[in-house]
């Protein structure tokens, strides 16, 4: 099977087992310097009244944030490859089951695409970017949150170190997304790319922090015993960090934007 096929099969199995896992892991977080979640931050970047595509919408937290921000659900569309995630959604916005590289949407039918924690799960990004270039109208926009790595020096980083021997996934990420210049190159067919770092504060009681970090894809195949041992080692490891029962935990993300599709030297 191809790398993209391996990634899709792995992700479909994970999300079939546990729809809504991403929302439960990150929705309680607050983007540092704001009082909102990364879902709300992304929703705020879609222009009012726009026809918005939420690419790889999962169970619809960005769609929910868009509706809460005043968008008409009939102007929104969510797409995801996981039938179970789509079925778990409660949003009034319509959803379609499809792969990101084969969108069942008309050419130039979308004003803005938002995508949260998904484009780094697509090992072959070029056909996805080409599909976005097709469905986004000239002058439309893209705002995508990618990443999901640990912040420095707190519970997430300690989890990553402890869990390392257990983590197993097929290759999920297009290698270009590891560096800023690679991100710019990968998204360049859409237009001029801007990027900035986001830290999400996910501090909380040990149980809440564990439920966030243990949603890691790489633990999907770990045994119950391994998870129990990891949970115990994690609790011991972060005990010195806790202040009044609150364990600091930060997730590092990157916001990638194309403000005007069809601009920039590489855009055709
Ligand atoms: C980490 S979850 C994020 C879900 C949601 N955007 C959120 O942040 O809560 C990644 C989602 O991407 C979807 N996905 C992964 N690869 C995909 C692809 N090639 N096409 C469409 N959806 C895909 C998965 O089914 C899953 O729902």
């Amino acid at each position: 099977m191809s790398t993209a096929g391996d990634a899709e099969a792995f992700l479909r199995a994970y999300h079939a087992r546990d729809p809504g896992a991403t929302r439960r892991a990150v929705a309680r977080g607050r983007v540092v310097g704001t009082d909102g979640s990364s879902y709300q931050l992304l929703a705020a970047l879609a222009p009012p009244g726009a026809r918005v595509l939420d690419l790889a919408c999962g169970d619809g937290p960005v769609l929910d944030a868009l509706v809460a921000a005043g968008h008409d659900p009939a102007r929104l569309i969510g797409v995801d490859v996981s039938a179970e995630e789509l079925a778990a959604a409660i949003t009034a916005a319509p959803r379609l089951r499809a792969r990101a590289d084969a969108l069942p949407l008309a050419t130039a039918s979308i004003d803005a695409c938002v995508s949260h924690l998904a484009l780094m799960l697509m090992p072959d990004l070029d056909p996805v970017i080409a599909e976005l270039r097709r469905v986004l109208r000239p002058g439309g926009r893209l705002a995508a949150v990618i990443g999901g790595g640990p912040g420095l020096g707190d519970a997430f980083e300690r989890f990553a170190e402890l869990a390392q021997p257990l983590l197993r996934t097929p290759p999920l990420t297009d290698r270009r997304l590891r560096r800023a210049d690679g991100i710019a190159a990968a998204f360049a067919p859409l237009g001029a790319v801007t990027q900035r770092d986001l830290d999400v504060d996910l501090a909380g009681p040990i149980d809440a922090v564990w439920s966030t970090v243990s949603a890691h894809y790489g633990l999907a195949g770990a045994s119950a015993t391994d998870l129990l041992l990891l949970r115990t080692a994690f609790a011991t490891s972060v005990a010195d960090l806790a202040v009044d029962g609150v364990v600091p935990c930060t997730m590092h993300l990157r916001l990638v934007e194309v403000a005007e599709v069809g601009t920039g030297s590489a855009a055709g």
Side-chain angles (χ1 to χ4, degrees):
M1 197 189 290
S2 67
T3 303
D6 289 344
E8 183 180 328
F10 174 84
L11 293 167
R12 283 174 66 167
Y14 178 100
H15 288 280
R17 255 195 325 272
D18 196 8
T22 309
R23 185 203 293 252
R24 288 194 302 280
V26 303
R28 67 183 178 81
R30 291 291 170 264
V31 177
V32 172
T34 80
D35 60 2
S37 68
S38 47
Y39 295 126
Q40 291 167 318
L41 177 138
L42 210 42
L45 294 172
R51 293 164 297 172
V52 184
L53 163 66
D54 179 4
L55 184 64
C57 61
D59 71 331
V62 180
L63 296 169
D64 290 339
L66 285 160
V67 173
H71 285 260
D72 176 357
R75 307 265 300 159
L76 309 177
I77 181 86
V79 168
D80 200 283
V81 77
S82 165
E84 292 81 3
E85 288 285 359
L86 294 170
I90 52 164
T91 173
R95 281 97 58 198
L96 293 171
R97 182 169 176 219
R99 291 207 316 264
D101 60 0
L103 296 171
L105 300 170
T107 298
S109 62
I110 297 295
D111 300 314
C113 173
V114 291
S115 184
H116 186 272
L117 287 184
L119 290 171
M120 73 295 174
L121 302 173
M122 301 175 194
D124 187 6
L125 208 48
D126 287 339
V128 176
I129 298 296
E131 249 326 54
L132 287 177
R133 180 73 178 89
R134 183 184 69 78
V135 302
L136 280 161
R137 69 166 172 79
R141 61 181 306 165
L142 169 81
V145 167
I146 61 174
L152 290 184
D154 66 17
F156 205 147
E157 189 180 49
R158 291 193 185 176
F159 166 81
E161 286 163 10
L162 288 168
Q164 188 59 41
L166 296 176
L167 299 181
R168 303 269 183 283
T169 64
L172 293 175
T173 305
D174 187 309
R175 297 169 71 88
R176 291 170 294 179
L177 301 194
R178 295 177 187 171
R179 292 166 44 121
D181 55 352
I183 292 173
F187 287 82
L190 291 172
V193 179
T194 59
Q195 321 176 28
R196 69 182 161 99
D197 291 329
L198 301 176
D199 282 324
V200 179
D201 181 359
L202 287 152
I206 181 72
D207 287 345
V209 170
W210 171 252
S211 76
T212 289
V213 296
S214 63
H216 195 296
Y217 282 120
L219 290 180
S223 69
T225 306
D226 280 344
L227 286 176
L228 194 59
L229 290 170
L230 180 61
R231 165 80 172 78
T232 305
F234 177 66
T236 304
S237 164
V238 300
D240 66 305
L241 298 175
V243 178
D244 296 334
V246 175
V247 177
C249 179
T250 313
M251 183 182 286
H252 187 65
L253 304 175
R254 181 160 286 216
L255 175 65
V256 180
E257 292 184 88
V258 175
E260 216 175 327
V261 169
T263 63
S265 55

